[in-house]
């Protein structure tokens, strides 16, 4: 189903609010907006977002309904000092992630997100490439879970040291190397594509953290139980493998393959007609385009078919490409292994999961929502 847009007058009628409230909701990312193609001085607003807020503001819903809506792209549900998405930009502890991606490595970003040493985190060499890197990461983490100490009740400095060790475990599986190189170089050299090192560095930094996405929330829930940091990362890694999260890039490869046969516009039309959504485009938190995708695409020369898809997607869907599209284009451009987008995503996001796990442990809170029973009466 194609995204529907309405003008300000219709949006205000649905919301029953003043224009200032509409604009405030747009600035906070609650309502997606874009310029009106017929009049650049006016804006159009995403109708589903407007209806969702109108329903929330009705004022007569029970707390259970509000809580249920909050976990589906609703209002913030817990405080964090790690990252923020505001003004359609992503910030890591107050610093623009796109700016950080211009120069820093993932290890430097780990130090920022963990409030760690200013000179970055050092990851020792280790690991042997023995086949599926993702399978190796699952196995390595699972082997640690029952022997690692619970995270609850331990000094933050001690947890940071353990976090670096957990990251090293994941790196040994996802980016095995006999040399103590920066993680982006370990990946590029391991794939025998040294020329891919710089855009891989950019990708790792941009994918390191993204607020309370589904895998991060899973990691925080696990950490709230007091489980080991390795257990929290294992939870995040499991959630990442879903096709609506870390494996969304696979739909981009399918789109590219179809486009190579019938053209970009017809490929988008076909997938939209059959699936109702083209996951390569749009992001609810970035109405004007995913800044991570734009920065990553600028770091390498994508093949013509991706540029054609990007233009056709924005024209037909009214949505710019997202980071899943950019990761798939990166892998295809440098002929990286088939699962390389997921490997990059998993290695990068491990840093964010560990940051959230440590923050959750420090809060001392157990994440335990209530369920609203909707089954048959007993």
């Amino acid at each position: 189903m194609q995204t529907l847009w309405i003008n300000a007058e219709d949006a205000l009628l649905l919301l029953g609010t003043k224009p200032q409230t509409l604009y405030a909701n747009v600035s906070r990312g609650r309502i997606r907006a874009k310029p009106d193609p017929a009049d650049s001085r006016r804006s159009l607003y995403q109708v589903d977002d407007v209806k969702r807020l109108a329903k929330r503001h009705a004022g007569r819903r029970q707390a259970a309904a509000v809580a249920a809506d909050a976990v589906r792209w609703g209002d913030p549900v817990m405080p964090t000092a790690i990252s923020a998405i505001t003004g359609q930009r992503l910030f890591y502890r107050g610093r623009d992630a796109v700016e950080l991606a211009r120069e820093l490595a993932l290890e430097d970003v780990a130090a920022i997100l963990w409030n760690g040493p200013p000179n970055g985190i050092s990851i020792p060499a280790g690991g042997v490439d023995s086949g599926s890197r993702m399978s190796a990461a699952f196995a390595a983490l699972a082997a640690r879970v029952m022997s690692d100490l619970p995270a609850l009740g331990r000094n933050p400095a001690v947890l940071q040291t353990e976090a670096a060790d957990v990251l090293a475990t994941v790196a040994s599986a996802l980016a095995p190397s006999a040399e103590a190189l920066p993680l982006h170089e370990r990946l590029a050299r391991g794939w025998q594509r040294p020329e891919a090192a710089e855009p891989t560095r950019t990708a790792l930094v941009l994918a390191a953290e993204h607020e309370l996405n589904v895998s991060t929330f899973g990691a925080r829930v696990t950490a709230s139980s007091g489980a080991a940091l390795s257990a929290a990362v294992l939870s995040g890694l499991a959630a990442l493998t879903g096709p609506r999260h870390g494996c969304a890039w696979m739909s981009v490869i399918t789109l590219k393959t179809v486009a190579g046969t019938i053209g970009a516009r017809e490929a988008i039309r076909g997938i939209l007609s059959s699936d109702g959504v083209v996951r390569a485009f749009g992001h609810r938190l970035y109405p004007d385009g995913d800044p991570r995708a734009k920065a990553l695409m600028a770091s390498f020369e994508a093949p013509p078919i991706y540029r054609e898809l990007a233009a056709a997607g924005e024209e037909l869907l009214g949505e710019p490409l997202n980071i899943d599209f950019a990761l798939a284009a990166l892998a295809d451009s440098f002929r990286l292994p088939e699962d390389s987008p997921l490997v990059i995503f998993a290695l990068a996001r491990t840093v964010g999961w560990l940051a959230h796990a440590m923050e959750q442990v420090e809060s001392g809170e157990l994440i335990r929502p209530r369920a609203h029973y909707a089954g048959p009466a007993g």
Side-chain angles (χ1 to χ4, degrees):
M1 183 182 298
Q2 190 167 354
T3 302
L4 298 178
W5 301 84
I6 56 176
N7 60 31
E9 290 76 12
D10 291 339
L12 290 171
L13 187 63
L14 285 172
L15 289 169
T17 59
K18 298 178 180 179
Q20 295 92 324
T21 305
L22 172 62
Y23 306 147
N25 281 313
V26 170
S27 68
R28 293 168 184 162
R30 294 173 179 167
I31 296 178
R32 286 174 283 180
K34 69 175 184 178
D36 187 341
D39 185 350
S40 60
R41 296 170 299 177
R42 297 166 59 88
S43 295
L44 298 177
Y45 303 90
Q46 215 285 320
V47 68
D48 288 342
D49 294 345
V50 173
K51 288 181 177 179
R52 174 174 52 80
L53 277 182
K55 183 178 179 182
R56 182 179 303 155
H57 293 160
R60 291 186 292 272
R61 296 191 307 160
Q62 296 181 350
V66 175
D69 201 36
V71 298
R72 296 190 294 268
W73 299 93
D75 288 327
V77 297
M78 64 175 59
T80 180
I82 297 169
S83 68
I85 300 169
T86 181
Q88 301 190 58
R89 295 163 67 193
L90 172 63
F91 295 89
Y92 294 167
R93 292 199 182 273
R95 302 174 64 177
D96 191 314
V98 170
E99 293 298 324
L100 295 176
R102 298 187 196 282
E103 297 181 359
L104 300 187
L106 181 62
E107 295 90 327
D108 303 314
V109 170
I112 293 171
L113 294 176
W114 301 353
N115 270 335
N119 295 326
I121 305 296
S122 178
I123 304 299
V128 176
D129 195 351
S130 57
S132 171
R133 296 189 177 192
M134 288 297 295
S135 295
F138 275 107
L141 286 168
R144 290 189 61 142
V145 167
M146 295 310 296
S147 58
D148 285 355
L149 288 175
L152 202 61
R154 298 170 67 194
N155 184 281
V158 172
L159 284 182
Q160 283 187 14
T161 300
E162 183 164 312
D165 192 50
V166 173
L167 178 58
T169 294
V170 174
S172 293
L174 297 180
S177 174
E179 299 180 66
L181 300 169
L183 293 174
H184 59 278
E185 291 189 20
R186 288 172 58 160
L187 282 174
R189 292 194 186 189
W191 288 327
Q192 299 181 21
R193 295 290 186 271
E195 66 276 15
E198 184 60 16
T200 298
R201 180 196 61 76
T202 302
L204 288 170
V205 172
L206 293 170
E209 162 61 10
H210 204 234
E211 200 211 54
L212 282 182
N213 54 81
V214 62
S215 59
T216 297
F217 189 69
R220 285 195 78 127
V221 170
T222 299
S224 78
S225 75
L229 294 182
S230 54
V233 172
L234 186 58
S235 295
L237 193 65
L240 190 71
T241 61
R244 298 174 69 180
H245 190 22
C247 285
W249 60 272
M250 296 178 70
S251 66
V252 184
I253 299 299
T254 300
L255 178 63
K256 176 254 183 181
T257 302
V258 175
T261 302
I262 63 175
R265 292 173 61 87
E266 288 307 312
I268 291 172
R269 289 179 183 274
I271 290 180
L272 187 63
S273 298
S274 61
D275 298 348
V277 63
V278 185
R279 300 194 185 281
F281 300 93
H283 195 293
R284 294 184 66 120
L285 298 180
Y286 304 113
D288 293 337
D290 188 337
R292 303 168 300 168
K294 183 178 180 180
L296 181 53
M297 291 294 287
S299 71
F300 64 94
E301 184 69 23
I305 188 63
Y306 286 95
R307 297 197 294 272
E308 293 169 16
L309 282 168
E314 189 154 7
E315 178 189 348
L316 296 175
L317 306 173
E319 301 279 7
L321 57 92
N322 57 33
I323 195 169
D324 301 308
F325 183 104
L327 286 170
L330 170 65
D332 206 356
S333 298
F334 291 95
R335 302 181 307 282
L336 302 181
E338 182 179 354
D339 65 347
S340 59
L342 181 58
V343 168
I344 291 171
F345 209 158
L347 181 57
R349 195 53 60 85
T350 295
V351 168
W353 294 330
L354 287 164
H356 279 275
M358 289 186 284
E359 185 180 65
Q360 187 62 41
V361 169
E362 187 176 359
S363 77
E365 298 291 335
L366 175 68
I367 300 174
R368 205 304 190 179
R370 292 295 310 279
H372 176 71
Y373 181 67

